[in-house]
Amino acid sequence: MTKNYTKTEQEFLDYLAEMESYGEAISLMAWDLRTKAPKKSVKLRSNTIGVLSQKIHQMSTSDKMKQFISELKGNTEDEIIHKSVLECEKDYERNAKIPDDEYKAYVMLQAEAESVWEEAREKSDFAMFQPYLEKLVDYNIKFANYWGYEKNIYDALLDMYEPGVTVEVLDQVFPALRDSLTPLIEKVQQSNHKPDTSSILVPFPKEKQEAFSLEILEEMGYDFQSGRLDETVHPFMISLNPNDVRVTTRYDENDFRMAIFGTIHEGGHALYEQNISEDLVGTPLATGTSNGIHESQSLFWETYISRSKAFWNRYFNTLKKYAPESISSLSNEEFYRAINEVKPSFIRVEADEMTYPLHVMVRYELEKGLINKEIEVKDLPRLWNDKMEEYLGIRPTNDREGVLQDVHWSGGAFGYFPSYALGYMYGAQLYHAMNKELNVNELIENGELNKVKEWLTKHVHQYGKLKKPLEILNDVTGEGLNADYLVNYLENKYKEIYKW
Amino acid sequence: MTKNYTKTEQEFLDYLAEMESYGEAISLMAWDLRTKAPKKSVKLRSNTIGVLSQKIHQMSTSDKMKQFISELKGNTEDEIIHKSVLECEKDYERNAKIPDDEYKAYVMLQAEAESVWEEAREKSDFAMFQPYLEKLVDYNIKFANYWGYEKNIYDALLDMYEPGVTVEVLDQVFPALRDSLTPLIEKVQQSNHKPDTSSILVPFPKEKQEAFSLEILEEMGYDFQSGRLDETVHPFMISLNPNDVRVTTRYDENDFRMAIFGTIHEGGHALYEQNISEDLVGTPLATGTSNGIHESQSLFWETYISRSKAFWNRYFNTLKKYAPESISSLSNEEFYRAINEVKPSFIRVEADEMTYPLHVMVRYELEKGLINKEIEVKDLPRLWNDKMEEYLGIRPTNDREGVLQDVHWSGGAFGYFPSYALGYMYGAQLYHAMNKELNVNELIENGELNKVKEWLTKHVHQYGKLKKPLEILNDVTGEGLNADYLVNYLENKYKEIYKW
């Protein structure tokens, strides 16, 4: 089916396709750097990525782009072009407001700061990273002012990652969520029926973990003709286009949970990207609509599906093909309880379902404070540890397990963290909606994970950026952000596990 | 050391670096497509490669480039800039002479023809490929006429791959080489002391072949911090830049020679690219100077080094760590003889040292005839088989083992094949020169392959494109192309093996 485009429309589509091509090349280089690239290649490759990024930046802020926007906005019958114009306009407005020299300096600062952070984290030395972080915060404040905002300066940053969500929303939802979680965590801690993890934290060869991971990805409906699984240090999913969506994982031979749940998590991200409508390819709409919705997909599989009893009723036998004796001799129930242990810990990416949102809140409150100039970078380590103690009852003993653990700030990504908690809540809402239409546990127990994927594709994946995050949520659930579904899910699940 | 460049010089260098960046991105995509890329990604990826190639083409023929050339040619004190300008001028002249629409149509034809060739080869069906090959020949004739030539139209194509070498040169050297080889091959065939290969053509697990390949690459001085070894269908070396030079190989579990000598061959190419001077990075000079010189490096390692008695006196023990009993129970001498069997065969890339040049001559004569319109594409299968019979005494029974075996023509690469034979002859000349300065066999037996690499780096690698192929040859050997060294090498070696 070829459409009849006007000359300008066709030129605009060609222009977008060219930008997407540079983006695809950058993504491949990024994947390669994090999986396969030889050590000494890094420096020159970073330059090359810089050249291509610069090219995209130029095209997104060019006079040509300005002209496309003014000619096509409100003046096209094609929905994909219409929404693409709006995306481009948003980018144009954002990018054009930053002076060229500041943009360049910022890009260089990001690259440098990331490598300084990596070393600082290794050495657990915040002082080393502090001057870079100060500059990054300053730039973000400056940019947020260029971009403008209605109520809180932090909204200007939030908008990049989760359009439609503001400080006003978060400051209602997060404290309420925290107030609901705190008593649950207390009950867990006071329980006399704690799961026993000693049998599952045993040596589990990497190759066998990999074999199981591949089998589960296949079950989920991940298309290996449009993707692959590789090993890396910090796992990620990357989409070059819907026909090439790659997953990575990390194997800890003494804790298989890292790789298994990590792979399923990234696999959830990947299913989103693999199932975006082909019609959107070559436009900026051919990707997930927001970080929050993306997390709703990865966490959907990681928590609601793969930490469920139904899942292990079906797949524990599969795991037993690969698992060491100590694990495979457990009953389904013992295993299910063991992988659902709740225990406050320092590292966000290793946190359990119950304490995870609190990790996010610590970060949200700190970065909101930084951007609002209510707190200073130099005080971060202390404030971080204070908040961890206040929210989770544990105090990091060094910055590596504290304020230096996450890469985000070193790349200048302020406003990103809330999407993790949002995704978690969206996920619970989607799970609730899915259960109205399907008997999810029954599907899982029958090994029909594909049906779960199909439902998500129908309601979420296919649209890419055609729909805004809250539009998707509303279309599927009939309501807006609502933390109750998450709280109910957690309460029902852990009440049974911890028998309170 | 930062140099003081004029404003134009600096702009020119930045312009070149941008072009090199696109080239690097394309190379990574090409490597990925041939090693790791998921199946369904191919179509969109080819588009992306097309976009970036187009970009390089535009930059190489832009008014800006024209201006750089006219401002800087003969008007710079910097040798690297001077030689880069000459390279760019050559490209500019070539590319600017081809009308834009013809260039585009040709690029598309190439892509299509390669995939048709792949299928045609699979099915051994030349008729399927014929119309594409006809068009490719027509384009090459047309382009050669645009570019111009002095004596023979084929020279215009040769010049792309081996500047300085012409039909006049080849028509002297090749028949003479053939006349020298024919009696040697006859002696081999009449010999009563033929090597026995039955003990080496035995099952040899892939993982063990890989382990040996990795060990030998390391011994050769291949830098794994600037490269890696992967598996592929049609092995190749690809250089993204001197700090990222990747080697690929193919494992045949019933014939270990494929992977071992193939890896050493590609490793020889890789050593060239890894050891190009850092000063040339970011310019078009940071690559091998010609296909012929490149082959002189790969064949140097594959034949003169790794098929020598000294090599296996040193490394047969290493191979025994991995090889099956049937191989490791051989004496050094038996093994050496077995891997040096001479036997006319159909497939060029599997040919022995003695018959290899004849494979090249078959192709050279046919493509020279095509471009000079002395023969027609439709007659190729018959002519190919006739020539094989005439030169090698064997007649292919189908096109898959005949005219369809090589990828080159499907990509429009006419004029490329001669460089294989040239490289072989250059290699013999370099080997002779090296032996005047070093006791090569002694170095090999002592495991000092690194000294061999250093010599090659000093005389060949480091210069990249700073020197022309015949300039390198002359600087090292004091003479021009001379087939005698190759003939002497082959005669001395095989006289002993076949005891004539």
Side-chain angles (χ1 to χ4, degrees):
Chain A
M1 186 181 66
T2 51
K3 291 188 186 170
N4 284 322
Y5 295 116
T6 67
K7 186 162 167 285
T8 308
E9 285 175 339
Q10 189 57 59
E11 281 173 8
F12 177 60
L13 288 173
D14 292 345
Y15 194 83
L16 294 182
E18 185 180 338
M19 289 175 71
E20 289 295 311
S21 291
Y22 298 123
E24 187 175 316
I26 291 172
S27 296
L28 183 65
M29 290 189 276
W31 171 82
D32 184 71
L33 276 179
R34 294 169 72 178
T35 55
K36 310 280 175 194
K39 197 175 162 190
K40 290 186 195 163
S41 72
V42 177
K43 209 178 138 200
L44 283 171
R45 191 64 31 77
S46 306
N47 267 337
T48 301
I49 291 176
V51 168
L52 271 74
S53 304
Q54 185 79 11
K55 182 78 198 160
I56 294 177
H57 181 74
Q58 279 167 8
M59 290 182 78
S60 74
T61 57
S62 68
D63 290 343
K64 184 99 195 146
M65 178 58 92
K66 194 175 173 182
Q67 204 181 329
F68 281 132
I69 295 168
S70 79
E71 284 185 31
L72 291 171
K73 193 180 169 186
N75 195 20
T76 176
E77 315 247 308
D78 187 281
E79 194 199 359
I80 293 173
I81 293 181
H82 170 62
K83 296 262 166 104
S84 294
V85 168
L86 297 183
E87 278 301 316
C88 290
E89 185 186 28
K90 191 172 165 183
D91 265 12
Y92 181 87
E93 293 294 334
R94 281 196 167 270
N95 292 332
K97 282 175 181 162
I98 301 178
D100 268 0
D101 55 334
E102 287 183 22
Y103 176 80
K104 267 194 195 167
Y106 182 63
V107 170
M108 284 169 65
L109 173 65
Q110 280 174 315
E112 212 179 345
E114 268 203 47
S115 83
V116 171
W117 164 77
E118 202 147 329
E119 200 184 331
R121 177 171 164 277
E122 204 60 49
K123 296 180 175 162
S124 198
D125 178 1
F126 182 78
M128 196 179 153
F129 180 48
Q130 184 184 323
Y132 293 87
L133 189 52
E134 282 166 351
K135 280 186 214 161
L136 287 164
V137 170
D138 288 347
Y139 269 112
N140 273 273
I141 292 173
K142 205 188 270 191
F143 294 171
N145 279 312
Y146 289 148
W147 296 330
Y149 50 90
E150 282 186 25
K151 295 190 175 160
N152 189 302
I153 181 172
Y154 183 80
D155 291 344
L157 303 177
L158 255 182
D159 185 59
M160 277 194 292
Y161 305 103
E162 206 59 21
V165 172
T166 60
V167 166
E168 195 169 17
V169 172
L170 295 179
D171 281 351
Q172 278 189 315
V173 174
F174 281 175
L177 178 58
R178 199 192 136 203
D179 289 346
S180 303
L181 293 179
T182 308
L184 296 184
I185 295 173
E186 275 167 19
K187 282 182 183 161
V188 159
Q189 291 184 313
Q190 287 157 7
S191 164
N192 291 321
H193 293 86
K194 295 206 171 75
D196 175 10
T197 59
S198 61
S199 303
I200 65 168
L201 298 181
V202 292
F204 193 150
K206 183 173 126 174
E207 293 70 29
K208 303 205 164 179
Q209 292 189 41
E210 188 185 15
F212 180 75
S213 300
L214 290 168
E215 202 165 330
I216 286 299
L217 281 175
E218 188 87 45
E219 286 287 318
M220 288 166 65
Y222 176 81
D223 178 0
F224 279 97
Q225 296 213 323
S226 299
R228 43 180 293 126
L229 174 67
D230 293 277
E231 195 178 349
T232 189
V233 180
H234 301 288
F236 61 97
M237 176 282 307
I238 197 162
S239 168
L240 288 77
N241 62 55
N243 289 323
D244 193 350
V245 179
R246 305 186 184 193
V247 177
T248 62
T249 197
R250 183 160 85 80
Y251 301 99
D252 180 339
E253 295 207 310
N254 293 309
D255 186 352
F256 79 95
R257 298 175 302 183
M258 173 71 73
I260 304 304
F261 294 109
T263 303
I264 293 172
H265 179 99
E266 301 305 336
H269 281 305
L271 290 183
Y272 193 176
E273 296 285 335
Q274 282 190 336
N275 292 292
I276 287 172
S277 165
E278 287 272 350
D279 297 344
L280 305 181
V281 169
T283 77
L285 307 178
T287 187
T289 190
S290 74
N291 288 45
I293 296 293
H294 238 304
E295 282 303 312
S296 82
Q297 297 307 299
S298 52
L299 289 169
F300 195 92
W301 289 94
E302 185 194 344
T303 64
Y304 306 110
I305 302 296
S306 83
R307 288 189 193 269
S308 72
K309 197 177 280 187
F311 187 86
W312 294 105
N313 282 343
R314 174 77 193 188
Y315 295 107
F316 193 40
N317 276 335
T318 312
L319 185 70
K320 285 180 186 171
K321 288 195 292 179
Y322 308 106
E325 172 67 17
S326 164
I327 292 176
S328 47
S329 62
L330 294 174
S331 70
N332 285 13
E333 178 70 16
E334 286 165 332
F335 181 76
Y336 167 71
R337 286 171 54 80
I339 58 157
N340 282 298
E341 185 195 37
V342 171
K343 193 175 172 185
S345 62
F346 297 121
I347 306 296
R348 176 182 59 85
V349 296
E350 294 169 7
D352 58 76
E353 293 182 321
M354 189 89 86
T355 57
Y356 187 83
L358 301 175
H359 287 266
V360 174
M361 287 179 215
V362 168
R363 289 152 178 79
Y364 163 65
E365 289 172 22
L366 292 174
E367 65 180 22
K368 187 180 62 170
L370 286 170
I371 300 299
N372 279 282
K373 296 190 182 173
E374 291 159 3
I375 63 180
E376 288 183 59
V377 169
K378 70 172 171 45
D379 297 325
L380 269 185
R382 182 179 47 81
L383 294 172
W384 179 288
N385 295 348
D386 288 350
K387 279 210 187 290
M388 282 296 287
E389 201 165 354
E390 184 190 348
Y391 289 7
L392 285 149
I394 53 175
R395 190 174 184 91
T397 56
N398 62 56
D399 294 335
R400 188 177 169 166
E401 62 185 25
V403 68
L404 287 175
Q405 70 182 265
D406 288 307
V407 68
H408 306 60
W409 290 343
S410 78
F414 300 92
Y416 187 120
F417 281 117
S419 40
Y420 290 118
L422 291 167
Y424 203 14
M425 292 184 271
Y426 295 157
Q429 293 181 258
L430 293 175
Y431 183 64
H432 184 81
M434 185 185 282
N435 269 300
K436 282 188 188 165
E437 289 180 38
L438 306 172
N439 186 333
V440 181
N441 280 335
E442 195 178 291
L443 290 178
I444 297 173
E445 295 211 357
N446 290 338
E448 298 182 276
L449 298 184
N450 212 44
K451 295 264 169 64
V452 172
K453 185 200 82 172
E454 281 165 18
W455 190 93
L456 292 169
T457 295
K458 180 180 164 202
H459 292 289
V460 183
H461 302 161
Q462 60 165 325
Y463 298 108
K465 283 195 166 191
L466 271 181
K467 290 188 180 186
K468 297 278 176 207
L470 294 178
E471 194 180 346
I472 286 185
L473 192 68
N474 202 63
D475 288 354
V476 184
T477 68
E479 61 180 320
L481 179 62
N482 185 340
D484 293 348
Y485 297 96
L486 174 59
V487 174
N488 289 340
Y489 160 81
L490 292 171
E491 180 161 11
N492 289 331
K493 174 170 178 178
Y494 288 94
K495 188 163 65 183
E496 194 217 317
I497 294 175
Y498 282 88
K499 303 190 200 298
W500 69 66
Chain B
M1 186 181 66
T2 50
K3 291 186 183 171
N4 284 323
Y5 296 115
T6 66
K7 187 163 166 283
T8 308
E9 285 175 339
Q10 189 58 57
E11 281 172 9
F12 178 60
L13 288 172
D14 292 344
Y15 194 83
L16 294 182
E18 187 180 338
M19 288 174 71
E20 290 295 311
S21 292
Y22 298 124
E24 188 174 315
I26 291 172
S27 297
L28 184 64
M29 290 189 275
W31 171 82
D32 184 70
L33 276 180
R34 294 168 71 177
T35 55
K36 310 279 175 194
K39 197 174 162 194
K40 291 187 196 161
S41 73
V42 176
K43 207 177 140 201
L44 283 171
R45 191 64 30 77
S46 307
N47 268 337
T48 302
I49 290 176
V51 167
L52 270 76
S53 304
Q54 185 80 9
K55 183 78 199 160
I56 294 176
H57 182 73
Q58 280 167 5
M59 289 182 79
S60 73
T61 55
S62 68
D63 291 342
K64 185 97 196 153
M65 178 58 93
K66 192 175 176 184
Q67 203 182 330
F68 281 132
I69 295 168
S70 78
E71 282 184 33
L72 291 171
K73 193 179 170 185
N75 194 22
T76 175
E77 314 246 306
D78 186 281
E79 194 199 0
I80 293 173
I81 293 181
H82 170 62
K83 297 261 165 102
S84 294
V85 169
L86 297 182
E87 279 300 316
C88 290
E89 187 186 26
K90 192 171 163 182
D91 265 11
Y92 182 87
E93 293 293 335
R94 278 195 170 272
N95 292 332
K97 282 175 180 162
I98 300 178
D100 267 359
D101 56 334
E102 286 182 22
Y103 176 80
K104 266 194 196 169
Y106 182 63
V107 169
M108 283 169 64
L109 174 64
Q110 281 174 314
E112 211 180 345
E114 267 201 48
S115 84
V116 172
W117 163 77
E118 202 147 326
E119 200 185 329
R121 176 171 166 275
E122 204 59 49
K123 297 180 176 163
S124 199
D125 178 2
F126 182 78
M128 199 180 151
F129 181 48
Q130 184 183 321
Y132 294 87
L133 189 53
E134 282 167 350
K135 281 186 214 161
L136 287 163
V137 170
D138 288 346
Y139 269 114
N140 272 273
I141 292 172
K142 204 187 269 190
F143 294 170
N145 279 312
Y146 290 148
W147 295 331
Y149 51 88
E150 282 187 23
K151 295 190 175 158
N152 189 302
I153 181 172
Y154 183 80
D155 290 344
L157 303 177
L158 256 182
D159 186 58
M160 274 194 293
Y161 304 104
E162 206 59 21
V165 171
T166 60
V167 166
E168 194 168 19
V169 173
L170 294 180
D171 281 350
Q172 277 189 318
V173 173
F174 280 175
L177 178 57
R178 196 192 140 203
D179 290 345
S180 304
L181 292 179
T182 309
L184 296 184
I185 294 173
E186 275 166 20
K187 282 182 184 160
V188 158
Q189 291 184 311
Q190 287 155 8
S191 164
N192 292 322
H193 293 84
K194 295 208 172 75
D196 175 12
T197 59
S198 61
S199 303
I200 66 168
L201 297 181
V202 294
F204 193 149
K206 182 173 128 172
E207 293 68 31
K208 302 204 164 180
Q209 292 188 41
E210 187 185 17
F212 179 75
S213 300
L214 289 168
E215 201 165 332
I216 286 299
L217 281 175
E218 187 87 44
E219 285 287 317
M220 288 166 66
Y222 177 80
D223 179 359
F224 279 96
Q225 296 214 322
S226 298
R228 45 180 291 126
L229 173 66
D230 292 278
E231 194 178 352
T232 190
V233 180
H234 301 288
F236 63 97
M237 176 284 305
I238 196 162
S239 168
L240 287 78
N241 62 55
N243 288 323
D244 193 351
V245 179
R246 306 185 184 193
V247 178
T248 62
T249 197
R250 183 161 86 81
Y251 302 98
D252 180 339
E253 295 208 310
N254 293 310
D255 185 354
F256 78 96
R257 298 176 302 182
M258 172 71 73
I260 304 304
F261 294 109
T263 302
I264 293 171
H265 180 98
E266 302 304 336
H269 281 305
L271 289 182
Y272 191 177
E273 295 285 335
Q274 281 190 337
N275 292 292
I276 287 172
S277 166
E278 287 272 349
D279 297 345
L280 305 181
V281 170
T283 78
L285 308 177
T287 188
T289 189
S290 74
N291 288 45
I293 296 293
H294 238 304
E295 283 302 312
S296 83
Q297 297 307 298
S298 52
L299 289 170
F300 195 92
W301 289 94
E302 185 195 342
T303 64
Y304 307 110
I305 302 297
S306 82
R307 289 190 194 267
S308 72
K309 196 177 281 188
F311 187 86
W312 293 105
N313 282 343
R314 175 76 193 187
Y315 294 105
F316 192 41
N317 276 334
T318 310
L319 184 70
K320 285 179 186 172
K321 289 194 292 178
Y322 307 106
E325 172 67 17
S326 164
I327 292 177
S328 48
S329 62
L330 294 174
S331 70
N332 284 13
E333 179 70 17
E334 287 164 332
F335 182 76
Y336 167 70
R337 287 170 54 80
I339 59 156
N340 281 297
E341 184 194 37
V342 171
K343 192 175 172 184
S345 61
F346 297 120
I347 305 296
R348 177 182 60 85
V349 296
E350 295 170 6
D352 58 76
E353 293 182 323
M354 190 87 87
T355 58
Y356 187 82
L358 302 175
H359 287 266
V360 175
M361 286 177 216
V362 167
R363 289 152 179 78
Y364 164 64
E365 290 171 21
L366 293 175
E367 65 179 21
K368 187 180 63 172
L370 286 171
I371 300 299
N372 279 281
K373 295 189 182 173
E374 291 158 3
I375 63 181
E376 288 182 59
V377 169
K378 72 172 168 50
D379 297 325
L380 269 186
R382 182 178 48 81
L383 293 172
W384 178 289
N385 293 348
D386 288 350
K387 279 212 186 290
M388 283 296 287
E389 200 165 357
E390 183 190 349
Y391 289 9
L392 285 150
I394 53 175
R395 190 173 185 90
T397 55
N398 63 56
D399 294 335
R400 188 177 170 166
E401 62 184 26
V403 67
L404 287 175
Q405 71 182 264
D406 289 306
V407 67
H408 306 60
W409 290 343
S410 79
F414 299 91
Y416 187 122
F417 280 118
S419 40
Y420 289 117
L422 291 167
Y424 203 14
M425 292 184 269
Y426 295 157
Q429 293 181 259
L430 293 175
Y431 184 63
H432 184 82
M434 186 186 281
N435 268 301
K436 283 188 184 164
E437 287 180 39
L438 305 172
N439 186 331
V440 181
N441 281 335
E442 197 177 292
L443 290 178
I444 296 173
E445 294 211 358
N446 290 336
E448 297 182 276
L449 297 184
N450 212 42
K451 295 264 168 64
V452 172
K453 185 201 82 171
E454 280 166 18
W455 190 93
L456 292 170
T457 294
K458 182 180 164 200
H459 293 288
V460 183
H461 302 163
Q462 60 165 323
Y463 297 109
K465 283 196 164 189
L466 271 180
K467 290 187 179 185
K468 297 277 175 208
L470 294 177
E471 193 179 347
I472 286 185
L473 192 68
N474 202 62
D475 287 354
V476 184
T477 67
E479 61 181 319
L481 180 63
N482 185 339
D484 292 348
Y485 296 97
L486 173 59
V487 174
N488 289 339
Y489 160 81
L490 291 173
E491 180 161 14
N492 290 331
K493 175 170 177 177
Y494 289 94
K495 187 162 66 183
E496 195 217 316
I497 294 175
Y498 281 86
K499 305 191 197 301
W500 68 66

